[in-house]
């Protein structure tokens, strides 16, 4: 990225509010695989933080336990690279908390520019090359992914 080896890019994996196959608003379950794989990809590509977003207490407890194993427990010495990746994981209950956390980290009153992903055809669409160039300009970006059948419209 232009001007920095670490882009101002953050990721958020939203588990609520998302929709199920019937279009109903639900909270989806956090999976061990999602947390590991996305954290490792985030570490590989220099992402500054990876947020797992869920308001469910049992899911938050699960994520804390998983992260603790790989950052403080036996997993930390067994696989230091995974420890570094899982240190990027931050748990928040909603997207507003994510934005507030990023603003606190970057020390700015400005909101991060948010890009929402979707498997559905929607407009406007930003292609990879355009997004890559935009991220390279130095503004903080938050790339949001949904789980289940996708993000709600809210």
């Amino acid at each position: 990225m232009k001007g920095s080896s670490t882009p101002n890019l953050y990721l958020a994996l939203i588990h609520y509010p998302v929709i199920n196959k019937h279009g109903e608003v639900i909270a989806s379950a956090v999976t061990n695989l999602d947390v590991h794989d996305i954290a490792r990809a985030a570490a590989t590509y220099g992402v500054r933080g990876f947020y797992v977003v869920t308001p469910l207490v049992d899911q938050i407890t699960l994520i804390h336990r998983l992260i603790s194993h790989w950052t403080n427990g036996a997993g930390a010495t067994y696989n230091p690279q995974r420890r570094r990746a899982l240190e990027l994981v931050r748990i928040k209950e909603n997207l507003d908390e994510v934005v507030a956390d990023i603003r606190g980290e970057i020390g700015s009153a400005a909101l991060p520019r948010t890009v929402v992903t979707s498997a559905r055809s929607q407009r406007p669409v930003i292609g990879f090359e355009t997004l890559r160039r935009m991220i390279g300009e130095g503004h903080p970006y938050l790339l949001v992914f949904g789980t289940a059948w996708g993000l709600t419209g809210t």
Side-chain angles (χ1 to χ4, degrees):
M1 299 293 153
K2 181 170 63 174
S4 173
S5 61
T6 303
N8 282 326
L9 179 62
Y10 299 83
L11 305 178
L13 184 64
I14 308 296
H15 291 83
Y16 178 84
V18 294
I19 57 174
N20 66 13
K21 66 182 178 179
H22 304 291
E24 301 163 328
V25 177
I26 63 161
S28 64
V30 174
T31 71
N32 184 352
L33 194 60
D34 285 345
V35 175
H36 277 194
D37 287 353
I38 296 173
R40 288 182 3 220
T44 297
Y45 290 100
V47 169
R48 293 184 65 172
F50 165 42
Y51 293 88
V52 178
V53 180
T54 181
L56 303 177
V57 174
D58 64 333
Q59 298 293 288
I60 292 169
T61 302
L62 173 71
I63 302 163
H64 279 297
R65 194 166 151 213
L66 170 72
I67 292 169
S68 179
H69 171 77
W70 291 104
T71 58
N72 301 315
T77 52
Y78 175 75
N79 190 335
Q81 288 181 321
R82 185 162 297 174
R83 176 182 47 84
R84 284 189 286 281
L86 287 171
E87 287 173 342
L88 292 173
V89 178
R90 304 167 190 183
I91 306 159
K92 298 296 176 189
E93 291 187 20
N94 58 59
L95 198 53
D96 288 339
E97 288 183 4
V98 172
V99 170
D101 194 62
I102 293 170
R103 289 174 75 186
E105 180 175 307
I106 63 176
S108 171
L111 297 173
R113 295 177 180 180
T114 302
V115 178
V116 178
T117 64
S118 177
R120 295 182 290 273
S121 294
Q122 299 179 13
R123 296 283 178 219
V125 174
I126 298 175
F128 168 76
E129 288 299 327
T130 301
L131 181 58
R132 182 174 156 177
R133 182 177 29 77
M134 291 165 56
I135 292 169
E137 293 170 355
H139 300 285
Y141 278 85
L142 173 60
L143 187 56
V144 179
F145 299 93
T147 57
W149 284 68
L151 297 164
T152 64
T154 59

